[in-house]
Amino acid sequence: ALGPGRPVFLIRPMEEIVQASIDNTRFTRLVLSGFAVASLVLAGVGLYGTLAYLTSQRTQEFGVRLALGATAATILRLVIREGCLLSGLGAAFGLAGAMAATRVLRGLLYGVTPLDGLTIASVVALVAGVALVAVGVPAWRAARVDPVTALRAE
């Protein structure tokens, strides 16, 4: 009715128009998710490497403890406690950084508040699970140290 003789351009379905309008947001979310997974893997590998090195340096100490009557469970708890201390310290710094970053990410959040308690609790639980796995391997190795071999090694 406004101009039947005029050419019409860019005729597309509404779904395609909506998809094009959120492409930037989707790409940003994908990049941030990739960085989040990479940081989780790096945190786990870093914690594992640090604890593996620290426990290997204390092999003689663990041998002496075992020779004097400590159980493998005691050694396991000792190493896990130290690993949990390291990961707890890292989690505290991470939470502080996350709270500082909420101002930047506020525009990318839909349907949640920047400091959503459920989201923060689930991320802390996920990181704690990764940390427990990363700590468990060196702790298990430390608990299985042969006291005689550890005392003879230099």
Side-chain angles (χ1 to χ4, degrees):
L2 294 175
R6 298 178 126 186
V8 180
F9 298 101
L10 296 174
I11 298 177
R12 298 183 292 173
M14 188 62 169
E15 183 177 315
E16 187 177 317
I17 293 171
V18 169
Q19 292 297 325
S21 72
I22 63 172
D23 277 346
N24 286 340
T25 305
R26 182 181 299 139
F27 177 73
T28 304
R29 186 185 68 208
L30 182 67
V31 169
L32 287 175
S33 297
F35 282 134
V37 169
S39 67
L40 187 63
V41 168
L42 285 174
V45 169
L47 187 60
Y48 167 77
T50 302
L51 236 29
Y53 175 74
L54 291 175
T55 55
S56 71
Q57 295 295 311
R58 296 172 60 187
T59 302
Q60 286 184 336
E61 174 195 340
F62 296 141
V64 169
R65 286 177 184 261
L66 289 168
L68 292 176
T71 63
T74 306
I75 302 295
L76 191 69
R77 277 193 304 269
L78 176 70
V79 176
I80 287 178
R81 184 176 63 231
E82 290 175 359
C84 288
L85 179 68
L86 281 174
S87 61
L89 193 62
F93 282 118
L95 281 173
M99 288 180 188
T102 56
R103 292 186 182 138
V104 175
L105 299 176
R106 189 176 303 254
L108 298 173
L109 301 175
Y110 300 105
V112 294
T113 60
L115 295 175
D116 182 44
L118 180 63
T119 303
I120 290 175
S122 62
V123 169
V124 167
L126 177 66
V127 171
V130 168
L132 194 58
V133 170
V135 167
V137 175
W140 180 256
R141 286 184 184 158
R144 294 178 51 202
V145 168
D146 180 31
V148 175
T149 307
L151 292 174
R152 286 185 184 162
E154 190 146 340

